[in-house]
Amino acid sequence: MDILLIGGLWLNGSVWGRVASAVESLGHRPVPLTLPGQGDGSVSATLDDQVAAVLAAVDAAPGELMVVGHSAACTLAWLAADRRPERLAKVALIGGFPSADGAPYADFFEVRDGVMPFPGWSPFEGPDASDLDERTRGELAAAAIPVPAGVARGVVRLGDVRRFDVPVLLVCPEFTPAQAREWINAGDIPELARAKHVDFADIDSGHWPMVTKPVELARILAAAADTL
């Protein structure tokens, strides 16, 4: 099965390198995606451009596929379920949750000169970054790509209720499955509260398991694809 891999803010497709190698060895076809504005040199890319890139990758797959979103890109994966529910066998969400219709995509940090740069590590101290050593932090920060304002401040538009029929795997790195269930049951994650099939997978990592636990993450994703 094709497994489309979409990184979160400041990341391009290369962040999936070790995950992709392990997924391939487990019998699936990894498709790491570099998003417009996050690796192609464009500072004018919009959220619509990123959605279009995701949909183009979905449409290029030979059959049903699993779409994986990390962090903010969980919303991009969910938008793929909204626009192509008949093509997606499953959505996997890593360390994040889909935004609701009408919400901004990822307006989390200061925008300067038309882009949202990586804010440094202080906002991520604690469970998010506890498994990153200083060398890895330096490498990630040096490679971080400022996200165009048109992406970060883009408005999410969802409209097809068939997205709730697409099975979801929620991979829980810096939070536990029990915490995620509590948030969903409390109504804090309305999109997942309405999803009909949500499974949970725990991974002992911080917010970037593709960097710190790539083989374990690949096994989780491959196992999810094996059940389809």
Side-chain angles (χ1 to χ4, degrees), residues 9 11 30 47 49 55 69 84 92 95-97 115 119-120 152 220 225:
L9 301 175
L11 304 174
L47 178 60
D49 294 331
L55 296 180
R84 299 288 191 275
F97 311 100
V115 296
I220 290 170

Side-chain angles (χ1 to χ4, degrees), residues 117-151:
F118 179 67
W121 291 107
S122 59
F124 304 106
E125 291 302 339
D128 281 347
S130 60
D131 61 341
L132 296 173
D133 59 28
E134 288 304 315
R135 176 180 177 180
T136 305
R137 289 185 183 211
E139 291 172 347
L140 279 172
I145 301 162
V147 178
V151 173

Side-chain angles (χ1 to χ4, degrees), residues 175-200:
F175 52 86
T176 67
Q179 287 174 310
R181 287 189 184 95
E182 182 179 339
W183 298 331
I184 292 169
N185 292 337
D188 296 333
I189 310 166
E191 288 296 306
L192 294 189
R194 295 180 64 186
K196 296 178 182 177
H197 311 280
V198 181
D199 293 319
F200 300 82

Side-chain angles (χ1 to χ4, degrees), residues 5-9 11 15-16 68-75 77 92-96 105 173 206-210:
L5 302 166
I6 314 170
L9 301 175
L11 304 174
V15 76
W16 296 103
V68 179
H70 164 255
S71 191
C74 290
T75 296
L93 309 175
I94 303 170
Y105 173 65
H207 189 62
W208 292 270
M210 71 281 280

Side-chain angles (χ1 to χ4, degrees), residues 9 35-38 42-51 72 76 104-107 114 116 146-156:
L9 301 175
L35 295 164
Q38 290 180 220
S42 172
V43 296
S44 60
T46 66
L47 178 60
D48 287 344
D49 294 331
Q50 292 200 347
V51 173
L76 286 174
Y105 173 65
D107 192 12
M116 187 173 69
V147 178
V151 173
R153 293 176 172 173
V155 177
V156 175

